[in-house]
Amino acid sequence: MFRGERQIERPFRWGIVGGGRTSGVGYKHRMGAMRDNISFLLKAAAFDVDFARCVDFGVSLGMDPERLYPDYKTMFEREAALEDGIEAVDIATPNFQHYEACKAALEAGLHVICEKPLFFSVEQGLEIKKLADEKNRVFCVNYGYSGFDLIMQMRHMVKSGAIGDVTMVDLRYAHGFGCDPAGDLKAEGQIWRVDPARVGPSFVLGDLSTHTFYISQVICPELKLSQLLCDRQSFIKSRRPLEDNAYVLMRYEGGAVGRMWASAVNAGDMRSQIIRIVGTKASLEWNDMHPDELVYAVQGEPARTLVRGMDYLCDEALEYERLGALHYTGLMDSWANLYNRFAVAMDAMNRGDRETLEKLVYPDLDHGIDGVRWVCKCVESADKGGVWVDFE
């Protein structure tokens, strides 16, 4: 059981770009990073393009106003001159700012955590990967749902052969909170998500499905996607050319197949994210609305429900167990688990501990680039009329 004891010598001095008062994810980043006070300490921020709002918000959090900055370039420059300057930074801005901000952070010698999807193209991702390697810095991607304990249980059961050979991967991230087009013009956190200049070539494929696609990679690390076919729609016509609904078919090396449904117009459904892995002997199903329960169904037997925190789970599923069975978790636990892993990765990189880095399961830059490739290939397939395209 994880009891909040430190895993590294001291917390990283940490800054954040974006994630201010009007952000939809800023609070989650801060709570995930500082949940246990052993991984990161928030020292500096450029919360908002409006500097007055940045200062007002930062002071309301108890931060030193001298460590609040009008933009990330100023923050990186001034922090580098301080004896206790930041060592890691979180990029929690709209998508169009990710590439330049991440590049500047790495050039400043900082470890980086970035929101998804990372960039507008795979080429940008590969350029950033080259820079991160040159600077010997860890680059993490915030796939926030992937820190739930039972995701690791699914990974263990797939790798151990408990469901046989994987034949089908059935994924969905489909909610209805984009049904009202009025929100595209009113909600500050939504306006940029439906602006192609700021969000890139996709809406729900980038905003939603990249989460679920990465989780499928965690659960089934041996499955390699070879081809996909995507059909996407803009049911809210004002969103064109960005999709608010998409269906993706997938082919994996070795013969397994899969599908993904991503939608922001699935009216009335609160189940949101469902992941089902089917094998030759049994299946696993996890729903993020009930993240403490995993359904394990062996063909010809009654389905059984595995519950988070129980001793019958594998070691990997219990490593970050915080509460014990019957005390239920939430999304903040998933984020906090991820941020602890991010800190362990950064510490290992600093110490040259490649063994820890290779064993640690966390969303790194390669996974972020895969997410960008996923979006680009889905858009390519859909724009060609729904045809199969090679994933690589």
Side-chain angles (χ1 to χ4, degrees):
M1 177 177 283
F2 182 73
R3 300 193 182 277
E5 298 173 271
R6 67 182 186 180
Q7 297 172 290
I8 57 179
E9 186 176 352
R10 61 168 178 80
F12 281 88
R13 297 186 298 273
W14 173 63
I16 186 167
V17 180
R21 184 174 285 128
T22 61
S23 170
V25 298
Y27 183 68
K28 299 181 183 73
H29 281 280
R30 296 198 314 277
M31 291 302 98
M34 300 186 293
R35 176 74 174 269
D36 303 302
N37 289 319
I38 59 169
S39 300
F40 297 94
L41 294 177
L42 183 59
K43 290 290 189 178
F47 283 122
D48 203 304
V49 292
D50 183 324
F51 185 43
R53 289 201 307 187
C54 170
V55 172
D56 181 68
F57 183 60
V59 170
S60 75
L61 298 178
M63 295 184 67
D64 180 353
E66 296 298 317
R67 306 285 288 268
L68 299 169
Y69 300 98
D71 55 71
Y72 66 83
K73 292 180 181 179
T74 304
M75 181 169 77
F76 297 163
E77 180 181 353
R78 293 185 184 174
E79 287 292 313
L82 298 176
E83 186 175 346
D84 67 340
I86 60 172
E87 304 162 290
V89 68
D90 210 312
I91 309 300
T93 65
N95 302 357
F96 74 101
Q97 295 176 325
H98 289 178
Y99 171 73
E100 293 295 342
C102 290
K103 183 177 180 181
L106 289 170
E107 289 174 341
L110 301 173
H111 296 290
V112 178
I113 302 166
C114 186
E115 262 297 327
K116 51 84 222 139
L118 284 184
F119 312 120
F120 286 1
S121 71
V122 173
E123 289 73 22
Q124 288 180 329
L126 294 175
E127 182 181 342
I128 293 296
K129 177 176 173 57
K130 182 174 182 292
L131 181 58
D133 289 343
E134 290 173 355
K135 295 292 185 178
N136 208 34
R137 298 294 86 181
V138 165
F139 194 112
C140 309
V141 186
N142 190 59
Y143 290 126
Y145 295 93
S146 63
F148 280 113
D149 299 317
L150 289 180
I151 300 300
M152 297 304 290
Q153 179 67 25
M154 295 176 77
R155 175 188 175 94
H156 172 81
M157 294 179 75
V158 167
K159 293 183 72 173
S160 69
I163 67 170
D165 296 328
V166 175
T167 55
M168 290 171 278
V169 177
D170 197 18
L171 311 171
R172 65 163 250 174
Y173 194 156
H175 62 67
F177 286 92
C179 286
D180 184 2
D184 293 357
L185 303 174
K186 295 179 181 179
E188 192 166 338
Q190 175 73 353
I191 293 172
W192 66 265
R193 282 183 165 85
V194 292
D195 178 359
R198 291 189 283 177
V199 77
S202 141
F203 173 22
V204 296
L205 285 166
D207 197 43
L208 303 180
S209 77
T210 49
H211 278 293
T212 320
F213 176 64
Y214 170 67
I215 292 175
S216 74
Q217 292 180 305
V218 174
I219 297 169
C220 303
E222 304 304 320
L223 280 189
K224 304 301 179 185
L225 184 59
S226 61
Q227 290 183 308
L228 61 80
L229 181 155
C230 177
D231 188 25
R232 61 177 184 159
Q233 300 78 37
S234 306
F235 286 115
I236 305 298
K237 305 306 180 187
S238 60
R239 291 176 180 153
R240 292 177 175 172
L242 301 178
E243 81 292 333
D244 48 29
N245 190 81
Y247 296 97
V248 185
L249 296 179
M250 297 173 282
R251 291 172 177 165
Y252 294 93
E253 296 176 6
V257 297
R259 64 180 179 178
M260 169 85 77
W261 175 28
S263 182
V265 290
N266 179 26
D269 195 334
M270 294 293 293
R271 292 177 297 165
S272 192
Q273 197 168 192
I274 299 175
I275 297 171
R276 181 174 175 83
I277 310 295
V278 180
T280 52
K281 300 177 181 177
S283 63
L284 298 168
E285 184 167 308
W286 180 83
N287 177 352
D288 71 3
M289 192 174 185
H290 303 285
D292 290 349
E293 298 179 352
L294 171 62
V295 177
Y296 174 42
V298 178
Q299 177 60 32
E301 300 178 10
R304 64 203 75 172
T305 300
L306 309 183
V307 178
R308 194 218 85 250
M310 295 298 291
D311 289 342
Y312 52 68
L313 300 179
C314 68
D315 291 342
E316 295 89 340
L318 295 170
E319 181 179 5
Y320 280 95
E321 169 56 42
R322 296 165 177 268
L323 303 174
L326 296 182
H327 297 90
Y328 298 109
T329 61
L331 186 56
M332 287 296 92
D333 296 291
S334 175
W335 284 61
N337 290 346
L338 277 184
Y339 270 88
N340 275 312
R341 293 173 196 166
F342 293 165
V344 170
M346 293 174 187
D347 177 68
M349 178 67 81
N350 286 354
R351 294 183 292 100
D353 183 358
R354 292 288 174 179
E355 183 179 356
T356 293
L357 281 171
E358 290 173 4
K359 290 180 179 179
L360 196 63
V361 179
Y362 72 100
D364 62 12
L365 182 52
D366 285 331
H367 294 114
I369 293 171
D370 271 352
V372 176
R373 181 178 286 111
W374 163 265
V375 174
C376 292
K377 289 298 183 178
C378 286
V379 170
E380 177 187 342
S381 171
D383 288 354
K384 287 181 177 179
V387 300
W388 288 103
V389 297
D390 292 339
F391 185 65
E392 294 294 337

